[in-house]
Amino acid sequence: MLTLLKKIFTWWNQDTFGTRLKTIFFGKLVGSDELGNKYYESKNGKRWVIYANTIDASKIPVEWYSWMHFTANKIEKTHELKKYDWQKPHQSNLTGTEKAYYPNKDKDGIKKKYSSWKQ
């Protein structure tokens, strides 16, 4: 029962009841990515995504990001981007987590960069 209430009233748990109805009646599945996100388009050209897990806009890979924002590219029809060996896999935004980047993490942050003088 709690899961049903979450589906109806919360948008941060994948999709709401209204989005589910819109997807069923008006959405055409265009494809999905390696993270499990599903991408839909309506007849009048509106596009949306149903996330596999937690909703986070940084979880949209670059090949689907351009499609979502109507940016023309070479992979518009196939959505398959040739990845090279040196490319890292897509990573979501890590801000606010333990894996976030801190430029001076190992340095002493309390240490003053100047010395006070006394009269």
Side-chain angles (χ1 to χ4, degrees):
M1 183 68 178
L2 184 62
T3 306
L4 178 63
L5 289 175
K6 281 184 179 179
K7 279 284 189 191
I8 294 172
F9 295 111
T10 60
W11 57 265
W12 54 88
N13 291 315
Q14 294 179 338
D15 57 343
T16 60
F17 186 67
T19 306
R20 179 67 55 116
L21 288 177
K22 179 181 176 181
T23 303
I24 291 170
F25 291 119
F26 303 110
K28 176 185 162 197
L29 180 65
V30 177
S32 61
D33 61 14
E34 65 272 359
L35 299 173
N37 302 329
K38 295 179 183 175
Y39 299 89
Y40 294 91
E41 187 172 20
S42 66
K43 290 181 182 178
N44 60 358
K46 293 194 179 199
R47 297 175 177 178
W48 66 94
V49 59
I50 305 277
Y51 294 94
N53 295 321
T54 309
I55 291 179
D56 183 9
S58 66
K59 290 185 178 181
I60 297 177
V62 67
E63 58 268 19
W64 284 101
Y65 180 86
S66 60
W67 179 81
M68 287 289 295
H69 295 277
F70 300 96
T71 305
N73 59 14
K74 294 186 285 186
I75 56 171
E76 184 69 31
K77 300 296 180 206
T78 61
H79 300 291
E80 292 180 16
L81 182 64
K82 181 182 174 190
K83 304 263 182 170
Y84 297 98
D85 296 336
W86 50 267
Q87 285 179 306
K88 292 182 178 181
H90 177 75
Q91 189 176 37
S92 61
N93 188 357
L94 299 175
T95 303
T97 66
E98 290 291 323
K99 295 181 181 179
Y101 173 71
Y102 298 104
N104 297 324
K105 189 174 187 178
D106 297 332
K107 294 182 181 178
D108 186 15
I110 300 173
K111 183 179 174 183
K112 291 183 179 179
K113 298 188 190 283
Y114 63 91
S115 59
S116 304
W117 59 278
K118 297 180 182 177
Q119 263 184 329

